[in-house]
Amino acid sequence: MSNGDQTMRAALPPQIVDLRNICLNGFASLFSLCFDFSRDKQFFHMLADSARGNLSLDAVCCLKHLCPDRLFFYLNQVEVDEMLEYTNRALQQCYIAWKKNGGRVSRWGCLVAIDVTSFEYYGERDEYVHEYVKPAGRKLKHIKVRKYAALSIIAPRFKLCLALLPIKKGEKLPELVDKLLGSVRGVKIRCVVLDKEFYNVGVLNRIEAHGLHYLVPIVHKESVDRLYWVCATTNQWRWKYMMGAARKERKQVTGYFHEYRTGDYAGFITNRDMKTDTAERLLELYGQRWNIENGFKEAKDFLIKTTSKNHAYRLLLYTISHLIANLQNIIRDTRFRVRYYEMQEILRLILDPRTEKKQYTITKRLIAKL
């Protein structure tokens, strides 16, 4: 046997991940600053612990031999608008933690996405409850839902929620986008990516009023199909298009086509100056928007269970689920590959207020510095 075969490969030393900027003390202090009542920080840590285990607050309080009545009594007096001031500040504090932990931001700013998600709701009808008819086999089922709009930073394999907004019944999309963009402070945005639901002249005007770029896929319809065939015939894939031509509010936009195969295409509108005359590059950018869809799924895994009909409390619980998902994504964004079971142990240590500031051996390949 050769010397190379006889020599055993030396074991690699464990990687050290510095997570000293990933903690909940700052978030607990902000919670205490906004909602000043007895044992406020302790209740915040219990809410975060409930989110990690996907439990109800009552269940966690029972395990700790505590009573949640004081928190429920106080939050029943808080309005949704008051809760919004806290929730969006807490989410944007995640952006600061991400940058302290080595998050890199382009000098041109962040790419952000806006999307809407909904949850079925069984409470009384009010301004935050939307009603829909849902197919259920051969019958139709009337359901009530609560809807939230989210604004998140998106990048390859990364997403960070910056703002949440509960949607009122009858609220228009332009107003919604304007509120979300106006609620973000200290974050430089270079482009807003939206789905076809936001293909709206008023939405685009509001984005431009904030001095931002937008990227929206076109809605396929007969007039756009005809334009695609003209582009395919002339081999000119950049075009000028009049949105809302039959309405009072019109807007001329620049659109780009990308042809997958004959008759199958994707189209986008944007106010960015593109060096290309096709939508191939825009298609790549738009693909990053799927991270916000994955982010909604991750946040639901951390959603605290409740039967409360209090909209402010439900907004708080949904925000904490995104906050924990943000911390998880910040850890993933380190230059080390942190596996899922390692990440769960790291989150457990972060969420435990008794954790001391020192190094913890997570596995034989990973040491976390907290």
Side-chain angles (χ1 to χ4, degrees), residues 322-355:
H322 276 276
L323 190 152
I324 301 300
N326 278 352
L327 293 180
Q328 183 167 318
N329 282 314
I330 291 171
I331 295 170
R332 283 177 177 166
D333 197 46
T334 60
R335 59 191 180 92
F336 302 108
R337 182 173 177 267
V338 180
R339 294 167 180 160
Y340 176 76
Y341 59 87
E342 296 168 334
M343 190 175 302
Q344 289 300 103
E345 178 63 16
I346 289 172
L347 286 172
R348 187 190 67 79
L349 290 170
I350 291 172
L351 293 170
D352 190 345
R354 297 168 298 179
T355 299

Side-chain angles (χ1 to χ4, degrees), residues 169-187:
K169 188 188 301 182
E171 192 165 17
K172 304 297 183 183
L173 287 177
E175 300 170 8
L176 191 66
V177 170
D178 193 43
K179 286 181 182 178
L180 279 173
L181 292 173
S183 67
V184 177
R185 299 283 186 271
V187 181

